Amino acid sequence: MMVPEIWNKPSLWDVLAAEKRPIFLYGTGNGGDKILDVCAARGISVTGVFASDGFVRSRTFRDMPVQAYSDVTAAYGEDIVILLAFGTTLPEVTAFIDMLDEKHPLYIPEVPLYGGALFDRELLTAVHPTLTELRSLLADEHSRLLFDDAILFRLTGERKYLRRTTDPTADIRTLFAGRDIRTMLDGGAFRGDSAAMYAEAIPTLEVIHAAEADQRTHRHLCAYAESETRCQVIPHHCALWDSDGELTYTSSASRGSGTAGQNHRAKTVTVTALTIDTLFRDTKPDLIKLDVEGAENNALRGAEKTILTHRPAMSVSLYHRTEDLWTLPWLLHEFLPEKKLYLRRPDCIPFWDLTLFAL
């Protein structure tokens, strides 16, 4: 059975549709666009937009003036509803969000980064048998509770479901302890952040093939590769996909990059697409890590031969698309039924960086 608490929680969008108090968007940008689009489609009225005091300048967002938080509370009082429209890992920003959460009803709407259906009660009802069965496959209690948090956060947008976090380097060190990992693919290597973390946590690593599609970010990756002394890092400028060729890619040197083209403020370019089967046609990977901005399913499809032949350990992000939470674990379980599945997530807002390990 599904965890009962999940069924007792109303959908955020139903709560907002019935809300009589003024609703304010905190933040702008791509996240704000997505939230306002959903609100408009569901008949939810948003009163205005604010930014933190000290970050306000004379501008508008979606034809609404961006106000200071202090000006909003001076005009409307404390009884306002806040929708957070951006993500952060900065402690000082998180502390301010926590203060807002104590003083006001604050929600962090889960809007898909790279497409997929909105997670609401209707969707939960449709997929709950799959979610229930998947939950039973998870290998430890922490993973099962984190899975519950993922569902509850997507349903309610409540800050409290973001608090079950762990240190990613410590997680990798613990999960891979005693395993002979010598060759790794870092798919979505960014500037080398994750490669450096794995090099630190897994002392047996000898070679990291680091694939990054964004051209500007790839230059930083190459600089990191030259400086890394714990193992060899081989940069690859390509998008991981289910076939070789070329792809249209949205380049923003950040989380807004990707083949899905969701960030309309970013530049569109053409990049080389390669399958993991092509990259590893002459090499055996011991570990494949994928955090490829919504292209995880495609990258896994392009790795089928490699995975079935070499049975590598896997680390796959589950947060870019709505359905990733259940489709990607099932795909990995289909490929590698003998492996145990673990979920881990570092401290950040919103529910980003949820990672599935298959070991």
Side-chain angles (χ1 to χ4, degrees):
M1 293 291 291
M2 180 69 72
V3 177
E5 184 184 4
I6 293 172
W7 298 105
N8 296 332
K9 293 290 183 179
S11 168
L12 168 61
W13 306 105
D14 294 334
V15 171
L16 294 177
E19 186 59 68
K20 302 301 182 186
R21 291 168 292 187
I23 299 174
F24 281 87
L25 190 71
Y26 174 25
T28 57
N30 199 42
D33 279 328
K34 291 174 180 290
I35 292 169
L36 290 179
D37 286 346
V38 175
C39 287
R42 296 191 172 224
I44 299 166
S45 178
V46 176
T47 303
V49 183
F50 74 82
S52 305
D53 291 6
F55 288 89
V56 178
R57 57 186 186 274
S58 180
R59 63 189 178 106
T60 61
F61 181 71
R62 299 282 285 259
D63 298 323
M64 293 182 286
V66 179
Q67 305 174 72
Y69 167 69
S70 58
D71 291 338
V72 168
T73 53
Y76 291 89
E78 301 288 332
D79 200 17
I80 61 172
V81 175
I82 297 173
L83 305 181
L84 184 66
F86 61 90
T88 186
T89 59
L90 299 175
E92 62 272 21
V93 179
T94 298
F96 183 67
I97 292 169
D98 286 339
M99 182 276 293
L100 294 177
D101 191 34
E102 291 177 2
K103 294 181 66 174
H104 313 278
L106 179 140
Y107 301 104
I108 310 168
E110 175 73 13
V111 285
L113 288 176
Y114 290 96
L118 198 68
F119 198 99
D120 56 12
R121 180 162 294 281
E122 183 179 2
L123 179 59
L124 177 57
T125 300
V127 301
H128 86 269
T130 300
L131 295 174
T132 303
E133 191 171 356
L134 176 58
R135 188 184 190 277
S136 71
L137 294 177
L138 297 173
D140 65 357
E141 185 66 7
H142 181 87
S143 298
R144 290 186 287 271
L145 292 174
L146 189 55
F147 187 72
D148 295 340
D149 289 344
I151 295 169
L152 287 162
F153 177 76
R154 282 159 171 75
L155 187 64
T156 70
E158 294 180 17
R159 166 76 173 103
K160 64 183 179 181
Y161 297 117
L162 297 175
R163 299 190 185 278
R164 196 184 313 277
T165 61
T166 48
D167 177 76
T169 304
D171 287 337
I172 294 167
R173 185 176 290 117
T174 300
L175 290 170
F176 288 92
R179 302 178 191 276
D180 189 23
I181 306 294
R182 298 184 181 276
T183 301
M184 171 186 173
L185 170 64
D186 182 1
F190 195 52
R191 300 183 178 192
D193 309 58
S194 51
M197 183 170 61
Y198 277 90
E200 172 68 21
I202 305 178
T204 57
L205 260 177
E206 297 174 351
V207 180
I208 299 176
H209 293 269
E212 174 56 45
D214 188 275
Q215 185 173 12
R216 287 179 292 169
T217 306
H218 183 262
R219 288 196 290 267
H220 291 282
L221 175 63
C222 291
Y224 156 72
E226 292 180 3
S227 68
E228 179 57 75
T229 59
R230 291 165 292 193
C231 63
Q232 181 185 14
V233 177
I234 303 174
H236 301 272
H237 184 207
C238 63
L240 300 177
W241 201 242
D242 52 20
S243 60
D244 296 337
E246 291 186 336
L247 286 174
T248 299
Y249 187 86
T250 301
S251 176
S252 65
S254 71
R255 289 183 185 268
S257 299
T259 55
Q262 293 289 312
N263 188 347
H264 66 266
R265 294 179 174 85
K267 182 174 68 172
T268 299
V269 297
T270 300
V271 298
T272 298
L274 291 177
T275 66
I276 292 172
D277 287 343
T278 295
L279 274 178
F280 284 91
R281 59 191 163 198
D282 299 318
T283 309
K284 172 185 176 292
D286 301 304
L287 168 61
I288 293 175
K289 168 256 174 185
L290 294 174
D291 184 357
V292 286
E293 304 302 308
E296 285 80 8
N297 190 289
N298 301 88
L300 285 171
R301 298 291 181 185
E304 182 172 358
K305 181 180 178 181
T306 300
I307 293 171
L308 294 179
T309 301
H310 298 298
R311 324 300 290 180
M314 302 292 299
S315 169
V316 179
S317 293
L318 301 185
Y319 66 98
H320 293 107
R321 296 179 182 271
T322 303
E323 65 274 13
D324 286 351
L325 183 63
W326 57 92
T327 59
L328 298 182
W330 274 117
L331 182 57
L332 276 182
H333 182 63
E334 178 184 318
F335 285 162
L336 301 166
E338 76 279 8
K339 295 196 182 293
K340 293 182 178 181
L341 304 180
Y342 298 86
L343 291 179
R344 295 294 186 267
R345 195 182 82 87
D347 188 14
C348 62
I349 296 175
F351 216 105
W352 288 344
D353 297 335
L354 178 65
T355 301
L356 176 73
F357 293 93
L359 305 174

